[in-house]
């Protein structure tokens, strides 16, 4: 094997943490490839470049939220209609969380997210929106006063958990269920501590709770104590008290 000048290349090559041997040895140096402006541009779509974008998203998200203070993440359907009982509950929960001394974090979109942001904003609190790049999303709602847009779901979800002391989960769809079960898994496996989760809307969530108890737990795929990982409530004051009781606001 020869390098660019015709000299033999080594059988083993170490490039930072990467080891290359035999046919995987590269014939040019990292600096050379960096400074060579000629060549195709496909590299901006490669996985190593994506890693840099992912790193940048973490840096931006962490930087924006590092001084947020105590906060609660509120989830719910983007399809919740303004003026509905679920919308009104979202507004009241956002307001009550601010009055309890907490910032409110949502996905920044419409529906229940917008309702919680509205309540937080109108109460004079910090109203956070963590948006995601989706083909059908409309961007951050107008009640967000601190917003971050993400490309990657997993970076966004890390920020939801890292900067929140608990979750209030309003009736929602697939995305809401995804966030809920990720949070439950993190608490169950002790990846996070002191993390209360409140499901708001007993009639909406009772079928899921029944399935967890009568199917999942009954078949031995979870334990009865896993039902203690969350609370059910229909009362705004009770929900806020449950999700904030272990954290000083």
């Amino acid at each position: 094997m020869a390098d660019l000048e015709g000299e033999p290349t080594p059988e083993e090559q170490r490039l930072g943490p990467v080891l290359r041997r035999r046919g995987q040895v590269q014939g040019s140096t990292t600096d050379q490839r960096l400074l060579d402006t000629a060549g195709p541009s496909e590299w901006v779509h490669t996985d190593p470049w994506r890693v840099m974008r992912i790193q940048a998203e973490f840096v931006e998200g962490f930087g924006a939220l590092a001084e947020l203070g105590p906060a609660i993440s509120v989830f719910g359907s983007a399809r919740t209609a303004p003026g509905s009982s679920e919308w009104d509950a979202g507004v009241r929960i956002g307001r009550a969380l601010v009055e309890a001394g907490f910032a409110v974090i949502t996905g920044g979109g419409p529906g229940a997210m917008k309702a919680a942001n509205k309540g937080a904003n109108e109460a004079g609190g910090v109203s956070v929106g963590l948006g995601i790049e989706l083909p059908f999303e409309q961007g951050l709602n107008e009640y967000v006063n601190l917003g971050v847009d993400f490309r990657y779901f997993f970076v966004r979800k890390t920020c939801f958990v890292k900067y929140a002391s608990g979750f209030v989960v309003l009736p929602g769809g697939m995305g809401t269920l995804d966030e809920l079960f990720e949070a439950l898994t993190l608490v169950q496996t002790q990846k996070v501590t002191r993390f209360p989760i409140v499901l708001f809307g007993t009639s909406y969530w009772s079928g899921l709770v029944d399935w967890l108890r009568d199917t999942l737990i009954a078949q031995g795929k979870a334990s009865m104590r896993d039902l203690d990982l969350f609370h059910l409530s229909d009362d705004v004051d009770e929900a806020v008290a449950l999700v904030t009781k272990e954290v000083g606001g």
Side-chain angles (χ1 to χ4, degrees):
M1 187 183 303
D3 63 15
L4 294 182
E5 284 75 35
E7 298 294 329
T9 55
E11 286 298 306
E12 180 174 299
Q13 182 182 53
R14 292 185 180 273
L15 305 170
V18 179
L19 169 67
R20 291 180 177 273
R21 286 177 174 158
R22 293 176 284 279
Q24 293 299 311
V25 173
Q26 295 180 338
S28 60
T29 67
T30 303
D31 280 340
Q32 181 182 8
R33 291 191 297 275
L34 172 65
L35 298 173
D36 187 359
T37 57
S41 61
E42 287 85 358
W43 58 273
V44 299
H45 303 293
T46 62
D47 284 343
W49 183 249
R50 289 190 180 100
V51 170
M52 298 301 292
R53 282 182 171 172
I54 291 165
Q55 180 181 0
E57 287 209 351
F58 275 116
V59 170
E60 290 293 338
F62 289 2
L65 302 173
E67 299 177 351
L68 183 61
I72 299 296
S73 288
V74 180
F75 297 100
S77 176
R79 304 181 186 187
T80 298
S84 66
S85 60
E86 292 174 9
W87 169 276
D88 292 340
V91 173
R92 289 186 288 126
I93 287 170
R95 181 183 302 116
L97 287 170
V98 168
E99 291 171 350
F102 289 78
V104 172
I105 304 174
T106 80
M113 296 174 282
K114 184 175 180 178
N117 285 134
K118 181 177 188 291
N121 184 282
E122 292 180 348
V126 181
S127 178
V128 180
L130 305 182
I132 185 70
E133 180 184 286
L134 294 174
F136 48 82
E137 276 293 350
Q138 306 168 3
L140 298 176
N141 67 69
E142 66 267 30
Y143 296 106
V144 169
N145 52 38
L146 175 60
V148 183
D149 272 315
F150 295 92
R151 287 188 178 93
Y152 299 99
F153 264 116
F154 60 89
V155 180
R156 179 191 190 221
K157 290 162 75 172
T158 298
C159 288
F160 274 133
V161 176
K162 179 174 175 59
Y163 293 101
S165 303
F167 283 178
V168 176
V169 189
L170 294 161
M174 295 296 188
T176 302
L177 291 172
D178 177 51
E179 298 291 352
L180 168 60
F181 277 99
E182 176 147 351
L184 290 172
T185 301
L186 290 172
V187 177
Q188 182 199 49
T189 56
Q190 299 182 17
K191 293 296 185 181
V192 292
T193 55
R194 291 166 51 110
F195 203 87
I197 300 166
V198 177
L199 307 184
F200 190 88
T202 303
S203 63
Y204 187 85
W205 294 112
S206 59
L208 175 62
V209 176
D210 290 344
W211 178 80
L212 291 173
R213 182 184 60 249
D214 299 337
T215 301
L216 197 71
I217 294 172
Q219 294 185 14
K221 296 180 174 61
S223 65
M224 281 299 294
R225 66 176 177 271
D226 290 329
L227 292 179
D228 296 329
L229 298 176
F230 58 86
H231 309 276
L232 279 169
S233 181
D234 289 313
D235 181 82
V236 169
D237 292 335
E238 179 187 43
V240 171
L242 287 169
V243 82
T244 62
K245 65 181 179 180
E246 298 179 23
V247 184

